[in-house]
Amino acid sequence: MKALLLLAAGMLVAAPAWTQNRVIPQAGLKSGFEFLSPDLKKMQLDDFANPGTLWVDRGEKLWRAEAGAAKKSCADCHGDARASMKGVAARYPQVDRHSGDLMTLEARILQSRVERQKAVPFARESEDLLALSAYVAYQSRGMAMEADIEGAARKHFDAGEAMFFRRRGQLNLNCAHCHDANWGRTLYAERISQGQPNAYPAYRLEWQTLGSLERRLRACLSGVRAEILPFGSPEYADLALYLSWRAKGLPIETPGVRR
Amino acid sequence: MSARIQIPAEAKRGEIIEVRILIQHVMETGYRFDDRGTPIARNVITSILCNYNGREVMRADTSSGIAANPYLQFCMLAEASGELVLSWVDDEGVRGTERASLSVSG
């Protein structure tokens, strides 16, 4: 009897059924690119016409520009981004070794700007932050996403996963309702994508500008009539880590073009 | 604000070449409101002009119906080597220019 109780207790604290299970198998992953019209696919693939590349160009200039009281540029420490930043974005979000915080690429750039360059941080979604993060992520274009979810990242991954499956908003939907269970079907005039993060920062036609993954997540929160968390909330980083794991193997497309 | 022009670096005399233009601009329509409900002032590019060796080869009078970061494409006849000069002006009076060189042979 005692053993049975222990067993029952063990079952209660056991992880929920979805843990570690891929709802969409890796072989079935589809980038948001697959859901674009032929015209938009052409736009993304054409480096001249893809407006996102304007931000990449700007980011390249910023990379080499001195900033802050330290009078240092990104290049002074990191050298040529084409070599030093290659593959970096594919491994983000990443846990900061000192603080234990989960850092998105944007958060890491802001941290370097404040702690190393001793400069005023860029505002979230500012042109300069988008330009730099796009430039850094661009160096990983074509490389497979491979976020690390073990060790210190584990609790963030678990939080992100729980967030993905938690119903929210007046519509009482979770992320999986659309992006796991109903991708490929039509919602109003749009085809629902799998909600993959591999093109961000991306140029979204609805925004008429480049935007971060966080901004895209906020659009989903708004879509289900949920409370929109402020920029930089740790919840976004947790969710981004789950999404990166979920997208494992998809190539980085930054700067992608999206509807 | 920045812009780019794409033309072939070299062309034969009499050849028809394709010119592509991309200008970074918000193209604010004037129909939008900010988070506090204040109208956002219209700021769109009103005129885009392309001169080749001092001669006008393309002019576009644009308005709020054009998307942000306008992309334009047109063809022109390559007659002599020279410089293509793109210039534009917006509602705020901000002007921009960008240049590209073409070498014509034969």
Side-chain angles (χ1 to χ4, degrees):
Chain A
M1 185 62 199
K2 201 174 171 186
L4 205 66
L5 273 175
L6 275 174
L7 189 70
M11 282 169 74
L12 279 176
V13 296
W18 62 73
T19 299
Q20 285 286 278
N21 288 340
R22 287 183 176 277
V23 181
I24 305 170
Q26 260 184 293
L29 293 180
K30 281 188 196 300
S31 163
F33 182 82
E34 307 287 332
F35 300 85
L36 297 177
S37 68
D39 276 355
L40 289 185
K41 283 182 180 170
K42 229 169 92 184
M43 190 196 242
Q44 174 172 319
L45 294 175
D46 180 347
D47 277 347
F48 183 88
N50 180 343
T53 55
L54 291 164
W55 278 262
V56 173
D57 288 352
R58 180 178 177 148
E60 189 179 2
K61 291 192 191 90
L62 284 171
W63 181 264
R64 285 187 260 105
E66 269 183 13
K71 293 202 185 313
K72 275 185 169 176
S73 71
C74 307
D76 285 338
C77 291
H78 297 287
D80 188 346
R82 284 172 297 181
S84 64
M85 292 296 125
K86 196 175 164 69
V88 168
R91 297 190 291 270
Y92 267 77
Q94 210 172 54
V95 174
D96 181 60
R97 236 172 288 159
H98 303 290
S99 66
D101 292 343
L102 186 68
M103 314 283 278
T104 59
L105 199 56
E106 287 89 354
R108 179 69 83 195
I109 290 168
L110 290 175
Q111 183 194 43
S112 275
R113 186 160 169 89
V114 173
E115 292 179 9
R116 308 270 176 252
Q117 293 183 307
K118 314 277 181 211
V120 182
F122 299 124
R124 292 273 176 171
E125 294 303 299
S126 62
E127 297 284 292
D128 285 345
L129 181 58
L130 288 169
L132 263 179
S133 55
Y135 178 62
V136 171
Y138 175 77
Q139 309 308 323
S140 306
R141 189 155 74 154
M143 298 177 73
M145 301 199 71
E146 47 166 352
D148 180 15
I149 61 161
E150 297 307 328
R154 190 71 212 192
K155 65 171 190 220
H156 297 290
F157 173 81
D158 290 341
E161 184 182 48
M163 185 168 171
F164 190 87
F165 290 97
R166 188 182 305 128
R167 287 173 180 267
R168 60 180 65 232
Q170 288 177 320
L171 300 192
N172 202 28
L173 293 170
N174 69 28
C175 308
H177 285 134
C178 287
H179 298 295
D180 276 348
N182 283 302
W183 64 265
R185 301 175 73 181
T186 306
L187 178 68
Y188 299 116
E190 307 279 13
R191 277 176 77 213
I192 303 171
S193 80
Q194 292 183 350
Q196 305 291 2
N198 55 318
Y200 286 84
Y203 189 88
R204 208 165 162 232
L205 298 188
E206 186 185 319
W207 298 332
Q208 296 277 290
T209 184
L210 199 79
S212 67
L213 180 62
E214 273 193 43
R215 184 170 179 192
R216 184 62 192 83
L217 295 176
R218 288 161 65 92
C220 264
L221 289 177
S222 152
V224 299
R225 320 282 187 264
E227 184 191 347
I228 298 175
L229 304 164
F231 275 113
S233 298
E235 287 89 344
Y236 289 127
D238 294 344
L239 185 56
L241 180 65
Y242 176 73
L243 293 178
S244 296
W245 169 82
R246 185 171 169 269
K248 192 182 171 80
L250 280 182
I252 300 241
E253 292 173 14
T254 310
V257 172
R258 292 294 181 266
R259 290 179 308 240
Chain B
M1 291 296 136
S2 66
R4 35 170 98 132
I5 306 173
Q6 191 182 60
I7 50 171
E10 290 168 16
K12 290 199 181 79
R13 191 180 306 277
E15 191 182 332
I16 293 170
I17 60 161
E18 189 180 74
V19 182
R20 307 170 82 199
I21 295 164
L22 184 70
I23 306 173
Q24 187 167 24
H25 197 279
V26 290
M27 297 297 279
E28 189 59 61
T29 59
Y31 300 128
R32 299 199 310 151
F33 298 86
D34 69 11
D35 293 342
R36 293 199 175 87
T38 320
I40 304 173
R42 185 184 120 138
N43 180 25
V44 302
I45 295 176
T46 50
S47 170
I48 302 174
L49 189 67
C50 267
N51 278 319
Y52 186 68
N53 284 344
R55 215 182 91 206
E56 182 179 309
V57 288
M58 195 280 302
R59 176 205 287 277
D61 294 331
T62 47
S63 61
S64 61
I66 308 289
N69 309 308
Y71 169 90
L72 279 85
Q73 184 180 322
F74 63 94
C75 290
M76 60 174 257
L77 197 61
E79 286 167 330
S81 296
E83 197 177 39
L84 188 74
V85 182
L86 160 73
S87 56
W88 69 92
V89 61
D90 69 13
D91 281 326
E92 291 179 355
V94 176
R95 290 170 185 279
T97 55
E98 184 68 32
R99 292 155 194 277
S101 300
L102 174 69
S103 162
V104 176
S105 62

